[in-house]
Amino acid sequence: MKGWQKPRPAWVARLMGLGCLLGGLSSPALAEGAPGAQGLQLEGFGTLSAYRNDDAVVAARPGERVRLASQAGQWRADGDTVLGLQLRWSSSDTVEWVWQVQARDELSRGYRPNTEWAYLGWQFAPDWSLRIGRQPLPIFLSSESSRVGFAHTPVRPMSAVYGLNSSEPVDGINASWSGAALGGTLSWDLGAGRNRLTVPRGRVDTQALLASALRWQREGLALRLGGAAFRFDLISPGLEAQLQALSNSPQLCLNCSEVLPQRARTRGVQGHVINLALVWEHEDWTLTAEAMQRGGNSVFNAKVQAWYALLSRRFGRWTPYAAVGRSAHTEAPLGLQAAPGSPEASAQSLADLDRSLQRPWDRRIELLGLRWDCFEKLALKLQLERWTATRDRSTPRDGEIRLLPNSAPWDGRLNLLTVSADFVF
């Protein structure tokens, strides 16, 4: 194929070496296994994917924790590709041990396998269960299956929402209850934990995360409310040095010493997120929608609102689908003021910093796709997305869209094409 970039030999070697480590379907149904089953069980999933961004000015990637990005029509095979393994040992009808390993392209690890799940599960009452250890908390609709391509109609959960919020596992505890209510099934989760993860700016150490989710389901309708409160430190020596230098330079910035510690703190950052979701199924039609709102006490947990809606219809083994989503940051300007007589370049730098800290990365996403379930446990997908910057097209950024300083003018649009093969066993 013209334009295809051959994988590096090390990349191929890692994938070949991990061919037997096809990861476990990280959804509650698979983690629980068959009712009453005891002994050791092995389950798995995987995705082989390639994507290309047609824009020559900006680079794009399927997530900000993916190391490399596509630009100018370059094909990459390291975005959604993932392999892993899940082992589950049931020592009794009520106690199980789960260990899940995944290998995917990641900022700090590359394709080296990493433990995603490692917990002890205990069903201590007919309607109650408890998990202790490393696990994802069910804040969003796809928090527990975000990398399981086979579990989703599209290639990946919608970036308009999931590109803003991490579904990384935590080391903690989660209690679940389920029972009949309001003519359907009601379930409730309450969990807490902490984690550490690498981001483009540096490292995020989450000291405390409290999450809860309430779900109600009846026939083809499911409603969900999720929420979380958290506290973290952003470890980024270069960024902290830059902010400290401005705070200590009244000859350049009049109010940085007052504004930055309040609005741009990197330690003790507190925040919250609220998520609403709906899944409606009728015959061969499925409608999925999510909306979220996030806020906090620092621009490094910027205030943002986002939503998406996905509609699909099954025709036998074929499922065409379409979706639209949007995100809007609502962080107010910091109002950084240049000192009288400071160079014009310094004043412009302050203005650029102020705007960058507001994270004006608002965007709209439209996508069309086709899923073909060619075998019982294998699905092929073709997906085309249009990403449009709706607010800012010139401020440098390094998220799912990478725009470098002093780049050529960007028209604010790019097309992302993805092909993938998802499987489970």
Side-chain angles (χ1 to χ4, degrees), residues 260-287:
L260 293 179
Q262 296 178 4
R263 296 285 309 280
R265 67 184 68 191
T266 59
R267 304 300 173 98
V269 179
Q270 298 180 8
H272 64 272
V273 61
I274 299 175
N275 174 257
L276 294 171
L278 173 149
V279 179
W280 173 74
E281 295 182 343
H282 178 68
E283 297 179 347
D284 293 326
W285 290 91
T286 301
L287 173 65

Side-chain angles (χ1 to χ4, degrees), residues 4 31 91 105 139 144 180 188 234 242 255 258 260 380 384:
W4 181 273
S91 56
D105 189 36
I139 302 171
E144 295 179 294
W188 176 59
L234 173 59
Q242 178 189 10
N255 59 348
E258 299 176 3
L260 293 179
L380 304 181
L384 177 63

Side-chain angles (χ1 to χ4, degrees), residues 98 103 156 163 195 266 293 318:
V98 175
R156 68 189 74 88
N195 69 2
T266 59
Q293 183 180 58
W318 299 87

Side-chain angles (χ1 to χ4, degrees), residues 286-340:
T286 301
L287 173 65
T288 304
E290 282 190 87
M292 58 78 61
Q293 183 180 58
R294 189 184 69 195
N297 65 351
S298 172
V299 294
F300 297 113
N301 181 54
K303 298 179 177 66
V304 63
Q305 300 174 349
W307 62 270
Y308 76 88
L310 169 70
L311 181 65
S312 64
R313 190 185 191 282
R314 294 184 297 276
F315 295 92
R317 293 179 178 268
W318 299 87
T319 305
Y321 57 90
V324 61
R326 188 160 187 164
S327 61
H329 290 76
T330 58
E331 196 71 41
L334 281 71
L336 301 180
Q337 300 176 8

Side-chain angles (χ1 to χ4, degrees), residues 18-198:
L18 292 164
C20 63
L21 299 178
L22 304 179
L25 178 59
S26 54
S27 66
L30 184 59
E32 291 169 4
Q38 294 189 24
L40 187 64
Q41 296 184 23
L42 170 67
E43 297 159 309
F45 78 92
T47 293
L48 298 176
S49 175
Y51 71 98
R52 70 184 292 271
N53 158 37
D54 68 347
D55 195 88
V57 178
V58 300
R61 49 189 172 178
E64 69 170 16
R65 299 191 68 227
V66 175
R67 285 188 304 154
L68 304 174
S70 170
Q71 190 172 2
Q74 176 191 38
W75 281 96
R76 298 213 60 89
D78 46 12
D80 301 291
T81 296
V82 58
L83 300 171
L85 169 74
Q86 179 169 295
L87 295 175
R88 186 179 73 91
W89 177 50
S90 299
S91 56
S92 69
D93 291 340
T94 60
V95 177
E96 66 176 9
W97 303 78
V98 175
W99 177 48
Q100 183 187 110
V101 175
Q102 290 185 16
R104 65 183 189 277
D105 189 36
E106 198 264 343
L107 280 176
S108 61
R109 301 184 61 87
Y111 276 98
R112 287 181 296 167
N114 185 53
T115 295
E116 295 289 316
W117 295 44
Y119 70 80
L120 167 66
W122 175 36
Q123 185 173 353
F124 59 90
D127 297 332
W128 285 92
S129 62
L130 188 69
R131 298 191 308 199
I132 302 175
R134 190 165 182 79
Q135 59 189 296
L137 297 181
I139 302 171
F140 295 88
L141 187 64
S142 299
S143 290
E144 295 179 294
S145 60
S146 61
R147 297 189 183 91
V148 186
F150 193 84
H152 308 294
T153 299
V155 171
R156 68 189 74 88
M158 185 62 156
S159 293
V161 169
Y162 288 84
L164 298 168
N165 302 278
S166 170
S167 294
E168 300 299 322
V170 302
D171 298 318
I173 184 171
N174 187 77
S176 301
W177 172 88
S178 180
L182 304 174
T185 301
L186 185 67
S187 59
W188 176 59
D189 282 272
L190 179 64
R194 57 192 303 172
N195 69 2
R196 173 181 293 183
L197 59 109
T198 303

Side-chain angles (χ1 to χ4, degrees), residues 55 57-58 326 355 359-364 386-397 401-414:
D55 195 88
V57 178
V58 300
R326 188 160 187 164
R355 186 160 182 81
R359 298 186 63 83
W361 319 145
D362 303 8
R363 63 174 170 167
R364 183 178 66 252
R386 164 63 68 94
W387 293 3
T388 303
T390 58
R391 181 179 169 191
D392 183 286
R393 302 176 180 181
S394 59
T395 303
R397 65 206 69 183
I401 297 175
R402 179 182 295 160
L403 177 61
L404 299 178
N406 303 317
S407 295
W410 178 43
D411 65 2
R413 294 186 296 270
L414 65 87

